[in-house]
Amino acid sequence: MKNIYSNIYSFNKKILKKTIKSMKQGNIASLPTETVYGLAGNAYSNKAVNKIFKLKKRPKKNPLIVHYYNYSDAKKDVMFNKNFVKLYEKFCPGPVTFILKKKRNSKIVSCVTANLKTIAIRFPSHKIMRSILKKIKFPLAMPSANLSTGLSPVSALDVYQEFKEKLKIIINGGKSKIGIESTVVDLTEKPKILRPGIISPKQIKSILKINFSKKKSLIKSPGMQKKHYSPGIPIVIGKKPSKVDEAFITFGKKYKKSSNFFNLSKKADLKEAAANLYQVMRKIKNKGYKKIFVSNIPNIGPGIAINDRLKRASK
Ligand code: AMP
Ligand code: MG
């Protein structure tokens, strides 16, 4: 198929070089990850990081996750601890973000962490991300490639829909396999999950062999904002619509097919449902529906993350 979008590129050596060159000059690009598509820029450059905040219309008090190739790259900027090492060995590279203390002499520009002494770091597993991170000498600050509070993009076309020609480079890495944002774990003191994701609290507990802190986190963080991940139309959870011009998101085989019904997973697989969540919501929005109803999703494993996003999207 011919590419009609001049800023969407398939991945090859030429675009790899072009992207790196552009990022070295302080520009930003949209890159695919296994969770969702990101808006990436040099985390050591004020120019690049300011561009990210501006394009996304993201409030400056919301810190960005910093992405590294591996442990030794991150060591320059971050103070590690035992819990981090255990989780890194088990889950990285992969869909989990760690909050740790930032090193005093780190070159991360202060607006990345919203002036906090803590830093959020992740090691993405997507092949394209890894080949870029391996080649550059700076980490990438990278939030999701969407306007603040909106739906995260899970394809290059979703990113295009958000920013059109305002981005010079969008790399097409196929549909994001996981489809929802990373699990965020605060490891600065007693471990605590700040944002649920595909890697579940149970999996993390089994590695750390501890219970999570129940204390309210003092850290202000974007995924903690009440309204987030929103398709921009009202969402009602746990009810069926009464009109055909209202969309219904279903799960499993309980409801028969109907033109306004959208199934997250016919086989009632929560992982599949998570991977389809944003795509289905975007489709519903694009079709012009004015309201979304959602059937109950079991609150276990990936269901915890799905319900977290739905709840915030409904605010
Ligand atoms: P997002 O960029 O929307 O995927 O969200 C970033 C997530 O990282 C938020 O949910 C926060 O929990 C977390 N976060 C990022 N930076 C920090 C930081 N310095 N301290 C605490 N939490 C952070
Ligand atoms: Mg986001």
Side-chain angles (χ1 to χ4, degrees), residues 75-92:
K75 211 164 177 168
K76 288 178 260 177
D77 298 315
V78 187
M79 296 213 276
F80 293 158
N81 58 34
K82 273 191 200 145
N83 285 332
F84 166 74
V85 175
K86 284 185 201 160
L87 294 175
Y88 178 88
E89 277 169 1
K90 178 74 187 170
F91 298 115
C92 294

Side-chain angles (χ1 to χ4, degrees), residues 34 56 69 77 82 89 149 161 164 253:
E34 70 278 19
K56 266 187 76 86
Y69 180 69
D77 298 315
K82 273 191 200 145
E89 277 169 1
T149 77
Q161 198 182 47
K164 305 284 183 327
K253 290 206 175 73

Side-chain angles (χ1 to χ4, degrees), residues 58 63-65 99 116 118-120 143 184 194-195 219 221-223 228:
R58 179 166 173 124
L64 307 177
I65 298 173
I99 311 295
L116 295 165
T118 56
I119 179 168
V184 179
L194 298 185
R195 175 172 73 188
I219 310 166
S221 41
H228 207 139

Side-chain angles (χ1 to χ4, degrees), residues 7 10 68 92 128 140 160 183 205 226 241 259 264 271 302:
N7 54 354
S10 309
Y68 292 91
C92 294
I128 295 179
L140 294 175
Y160 183 84
T183 305
K205 266 185 203 168
K226 288 222 166 78
S259 67
L264 290 179
K271 229 173 164 172

Side-chain angles (χ1 to χ4, degrees), residues 62-303:
N62 290 348
L64 307 177
I65 298 173
V66 182
H67 296 70
Y68 292 91
Y69 180 69
N70 63 15
Y71 184 98
S72 50
D73 281 358
K75 211 164 177 168
K76 288 178 260 177
D77 298 315
V78 187
M79 296 213 276
F80 293 158
N81 58 34
K82 273 191 200 145
N83 285 332
F84 166 74
V85 175
K86 284 185 201 160
L87 294 175
Y88 178 88
E89 277 169 1
K90 178 74 187 170
F91 298 115
C92 294
V96 55
T97 296
F98 309 100
I99 311 295
L100 291 159
K101 289 192 177 116
K102 191 172 79 166
K103 278 192 177 161
R104 275 257 204 85
N105 59 352
S106 143
K107 286 194 288 181
I108 299 289
V109 295
S110 61
C111 58
V112 168
T113 58
N115 288 317
L116 295 165
K117 290 197 173 80
T118 56
I119 179 168
I121 63 167
R122 184 164 103 78
F123 307 86
S125 66
H126 195 290
K127 260 169 97 177
I128 295 179
M129 272 311 298
R130 288 195 59 74
S131 51
I132 294 172
L133 286 168
K134 196 176 174 180
K135 279 229 149 66
I136 54 182
K137 294 209 164 57
F138 49 84
L140 294 175
M142 185 167 67
S144 52
N146 56 278
L147 288 163
S148 189
T149 77
L151 289 177
S152 294
V154 293
S155 73
L157 272 178
D158 291 352
V159 178
Y160 183 84
Q161 198 182 47
E162 294 285 325
F163 299 118
K164 305 284 183 327
E165 312 289 330
K166 285 183 194 150
L167 273 171
K168 294 283 169 284
I169 299 174
I170 301 171
I171 296 185
N172 187 355
K175 189 186 168 208
S176 295
K177 286 217 170 65
I178 289 169
I180 54 168
E181 303 79 359
S182 58
T183 305
V184 179
V185 205
D186 180 1
L187 298 175
T188 52
E189 35 193 310
K190 193 170 177 202
K192 187 179 159 68
I193 303 263
L194 298 185
R195 175 172 73 188
I198 276 300
I199 294 178
S200 67
K202 205 171 144 193
Q203 280 173 287
I204 292 180
K205 266 185 203 168
S206 78
I207 302 296
L208 298 183
K209 302 190 170 57
I210 47 124
N211 281 314
F212 289 121
S213 164
K214 296 219 162 53
K215 260 202 321 205
K216 255 201 150 176
S217 179
L218 294 173
I219 310 166
K220 282 256 181 294
S221 41
M224 314 285 287
Q225 279 172 206
K226 288 222 166 78
K227 184 183 162 159
H228 207 139
Y229 317 117
S230 160
I233 50 177
I235 296 190
V236 182
I237 303 169
K239 269 193 199 154
K240 215 180 143 186
S242 50
K243 303 183 215 146
V244 287
D245 61 355
E246 295 167 335
F248 189 33
I249 295 181
T250 63
F251 175 77
K253 290 206 175 73
K254 190 170 167 197
Y255 298 97
K256 282 205 192 84
K257 249 184 151 167
S258 169
S259 67
N260 60 329
F261 287 15
F262 299 82
N263 202 320
L264 290 179
S265 169
K266 282 182 193 133
K267 53 181 191 220
D269 175 339
L270 287 165
K271 229 173 164 172
E272 180 182 56
N276 287 332
L277 181 67
Y278 289 132
Q279 205 178 40
V280 161
M281 288 209 273
R282 198 175 278 273
K283 190 163 151 194
I284 290 170
K285 173 89 190 292
N286 288 344
K287 281 183 184 259
Y289 285 99
K290 296 283 178 277
K291 200 168 183 177
I292 302 178
F293 289 75
V294 192
S295 69
N296 283 316
I297 312 280
N299 204 42
I300 43 166

